[in-house]
Structures are given as structure tokens and as C-alpha cells.
Amino acid sequence: MKDLHEVFTRFKEEYPSVYASYEALGNEIHEKAGPLPEKVRWLLKVAISGASGHSLALETHIVKAREAGATDDEIVHTLLLLIQTTGFPTFMEAYSILKNLH
């Protein structure tokens, strides 16, 4: 997948060894650390990044979730689950990011 954000591309170019370590840890955790199916793992990352207000991560995780087979209905449901835990404004911010990716 092409980087969605230029700043991430620049980070990888400026700090290749840090990025390589980060990528290796991410692969170990995401792909080998447990039994959750790929689509579920990406939906969890959508929820976590949406709840934490990390818009760059949320955009990336939405794209990855779609690539893993998640539908927009599943992604919206994931974001709706934020309302009672993190509040409606947090949901609306995450929802607006999803809608702007179309």
C-alpha cells in the first residue's frame, strides 16, 4: 500500500532503522501474537485510533480494514461503538474522517 501521508514517507526516509524496528514490532503483534482474524484486527485498530483522536492513524486503519474485507457498514458500526465510551464528539470526528475518505 502506498503511504497515505507524506509525513510518514518522510519519517521512513529520515529514520530507516527506527522505521524498520517499528514495522517489525507491528508485524509481530498484528500477524503472529494471537488468533484474531485480520479484518477484526483492523476494525479494532479503527476503534482504538478513532477513540484516541489520531486522525492519521484512523485514515490508515480504515483503508487497511477495507483492504481486509471490512465493509463501510462494519466500519461505521465500529465507530458507533465509540459513542457510549468516548462520547459523541469523538465519534463525530472519527465519522467525518471516514466520510472524507470516500
Side-chain angles (χ1 to χ4, degrees):
M1 174 179 134
K2 181 182 180 297
D3 294 337
L4 293 177
H5 306 285
E6 183 182 328
V7 68
F8 187 60
T9 302
R10 285 197 317 254
F11 165 76
K12 290 185 339 185
E13 292 169 355
E14 292 175 18
Y15 302 97
S17 64
V18 174
Y19 171 72
S21 297
Y22 165 78
E23 185 73 7
L25 177 61
N27 287 336
E28 182 68 27
I29 293 168
H30 187 79
E31 296 173 10
K32 301 175 186 173
L36 294 174
E38 183 177 14
K39 182 171 79 170
V40 171
R41 294 188 310 257
W42 286 114
L43 288 172
L44 283 167
K45 288 182 175 190
V46 166
I48 293 164
S49 55
S52 61
H54 295 238
S55 60
L56 297 178
L58 179 57
E59 289 178 8
T60 300
H61 295 153
I62 288 169
V63 170
K64 294 280 196 169
R66 285 175 173 159
E67 289 174 356
T71 65
D72 279 356
D73 286 344
E74 290 170 321
I75 294 169
V76 169
H77 188 194
T78 299
L79 296 177
L80 284 167
L81 293 169
L82 299 176
I83 293 172
Q84 297 235 260
T85 304
T86 62
F88 191 71
T90 301
F91 160 76
M92 285 303 298
E93 180 64 29
Y95 184 71
S96 71
I97 290 167
L98 170 66
K99 291 303 181 178
N100 287 330
L101 281 175
H102 285 172

